[in-house]
Amino acid sequence: MTVRGALRRALCASLLLCTQCDNHRQATAPAVAASSAPLRAPNPIDPLATTGVAALPASSSAARAPSVGRELVVPSSQIYEVADLKPGERRPLLIFLHGLGATGKVAFDVLHLAALGARERVFVVAPDGNSDREKRQFWNSGPSCCNFDHQPVDDVARLGALLEKWRARSDVDPARIYVAGHSNGGFMTERLACALGDRLAAAASLSGAAPSAEVSCSPISSLALLEVHGDADAIVRYEGGSVFDSKELAPYPSIRQGFQAWAQRFGCTGEPRHGAALDLDARLDGAETQVEEYANCARGSVALWTVHGGSHYVGTGTQAFEAVWRFLSAHHR
């Protein structure tokens, strides 16, 4: 194996959004970026950066009605079980959703979710999405991301069933159930907030986006939602558009438009308040993250952390994800 090939394998193994792994051959797959050249991260040495991005265009076949599909069975290597529980004790649950082309196992390892679970005494589950024809795992979060093959899979129903299975356990606290996800997993997290918000205490979308206008949201009684996004994200652009700049994929709203749309759903009034700036990304100087939150809301709250200069991989570093967990764990139903 060449040095370049070894580096490519190592990068693929560490990505939360891996769109060019061994089963994805850029030479034979049509690119959907606006430019013919693949998108490239500014620092190719960064273990969370991708060496190139290419994706399949939307299938020309007619979309089929969604079906639930196979039950989500999560391997034990992608689960952390809280040990030494006292009689009757209930602990929180965190479900983490990987990005396009990654796996629950990659997310579990890269984010050190077992260590988080042990330290915070929280159950952690990192499931795997369906595989597309390029054998990339994905979540069908809606028309914007990332069901390129138009598979009739209902991931809202599948993840809802997984959530209910864990929620019914006598050792899981139903008032402290959290969902977080990166990229495609972030899109899916916000979709679940729309559909299952009455069962969640808080949710965090990292480099994802809010559902498009045609996706209906169920009434939400109480939910804390966090969006974390870099304003230099070249894959899911802060100003909105379509994933990979593809003209063939449905557009998603800008991150700020999504923030305001959530505020309307939650019945928030007034202007968002600004909090102290955060240092989420060690690769950027100073406290680079602007914090805004609508807190005067009839139902829950919504926060936006804008990482100035941040790439698509904000929220995936240790200090960033620790801050995300502190946000999540501060809320309960």
Side-chain angles (χ1 to χ4, degrees), residues 253-279:
S254 74
I255 304 309
R256 186 155 294 280
Q257 287 172 334
F259 178 48
Q260 293 166 348
W262 279 112
Q264 292 178 347
R265 292 185 187 106
F266 291 145
C268 305
T269 59
E271 296 297 319
R273 69 184 186 190
H274 290 256
L278 300 173
D279 182 8

Side-chain angles (χ1 to χ4, degrees), residues 120-163:
E120 301 293 332
R121 302 188 72 244
V122 54
F123 293 97
V124 183
V125 181
D128 292 314
N130 258 23
S131 293
D132 66 15
R133 59 184 171 182
E134 285 293 310
K135 300 183 180 179
R136 300 171 302 182
Q137 294 187 15
F138 73 95
W139 302 107
N140 182 15
S141 63
S144 299
C145 184
C146 284
N147 185 6
F148 294 113
D149 300 344
H150 297 298
Q151 291 186 27
V153 58
D154 188 342
D155 278 326
V156 170
R158 296 204 309 155
L159 287 165
L162 177 70
L163 187 154

Side-chain angles (χ1 to χ4, degrees), residues 2-330:
T2 64
V3 173
R4 183 176 180 180
L7 176 60
R8 185 165 170 268
R9 281 179 177 271
L11 288 169
C12 280
S14 66
L15 286 175
L16 292 181
L17 174 82
C18 175
T19 56
Q20 191 181 0
C21 293
D22 289 335
N23 292 316
H24 185 84
R25 298 176 178 84
Q26 186 178 351
T28 58
V32 297
S35 168
S36 60
L39 297 173
R40 293 186 181 276
N43 182 1
I45 300 174
D46 186 342
L48 285 176
T50 181
T51 56
V53 173
L56 293 171
S59 170
S60 59
S61 61
R64 294 163 287 177
S67 61
V68 174
R70 291 178 296 178
E71 177 187 359
L72 285 169
V73 177
V74 185
S76 59
S77 61
Q78 295 162 214
I79 296 174
Y80 177 79
E81 294 262 8
V82 180
D84 302 323
L85 288 168
K86 299 175 182 177
E89 184 180 8
R90 291 186 161 193
R91 299 301 303 165
L93 167 67
L94 169 64
I95 297 175
F96 190 88
L97 306 178
H98 63 74
L100 171 66
T103 65
K105 179 60 174 170
V106 168
F108 200 82
D109 292 344
V110 170
L111 292 175
H112 308 290
L113 295 179
L116 172 73
R119 187 183 71 246
E120 301 293 332
R121 302 188 72 244
V122 54
F123 293 97
V124 183
V125 181
D128 292 314
N130 258 23
S131 293
D132 66 15
R133 59 184 171 182
E134 285 293 310
K135 300 183 180 179
R136 300 171 302 182
Q137 294 187 15
F138 73 95
W139 302 107
N140 182 15
S141 63
S144 299
C145 184
C146 284
N147 185 6
F148 294 113
D149 300 344
H150 297 298
Q151 291 186 27
V153 58
D154 188 342
D155 278 326
V156 170
R158 296 204 309 155
L159 287 165
L162 177 70
L163 187 154
E164 283 303 313
K165 178 179 177 180
W166 280 84
R167 190 169 178 253
R169 287 179 42 155
S170 62
D171 51 2
V172 170
D173 185 351
R176 292 183 291 171
I177 294 179
Y178 311 110
V179 174
H182 174 254
S183 192
N184 180 201
F187 278 87
M188 194 70 230
T189 294
E190 299 203 40
R191 182 72 185 89
L192 292 180
C194 267
L196 308 176
D198 59 339
R199 299 176 230 177
L200 303 175
S205 170
L206 317 177
S207 301
S212 52
E214 61 266 28
V215 177
S216 62
C217 267
S218 302
I220 299 171
S221 58
S222 178
L223 173 69
L225 179 69
L226 169 64
E227 295 180 307
V228 182
H229 215 102
D231 61 10
D233 189 336
I235 297 174
V236 181
R237 296 189 183 277
Y238 191 88
E239 60 270 25
S242 47
V243 176
F244 304 122
D245 292 335
S246 170
K247 302 298 184 184
E248 301 183 47
L249 298 177
Y252 56 86
S254 74
I255 304 309
R256 186 155 294 280
Q257 287 172 334
F259 178 48
Q260 293 166 348
W262 279 112
Q264 292 178 347
R265 292 185 187 106
F266 291 145
C268 305
T269 59
E271 296 297 319
R273 69 184 186 190
H274 290 256
L278 300 173
D279 182 8
L280 295 187
D281 196 328
R283 297 164 294 187
L284 300 172
D285 292 334
E288 76 295 311
T289 300
Q290 175 183 334
V291 173
E292 300 172 84
E293 181 178 13
Y294 281 99
N296 186 22
C297 307
R299 300 169 295 279
S301 63
V302 57
L304 171 61
W305 295 356
T306 300
V307 185
H308 293 300
S311 72
H312 189 61
Y313 303 98
V314 297
T316 59
T318 301
Q319 68 193 62
F321 195 70
E322 291 292 334
V324 169
W325 170 249
R326 287 195 296 271
F327 174 92
L328 293 171
S329 60

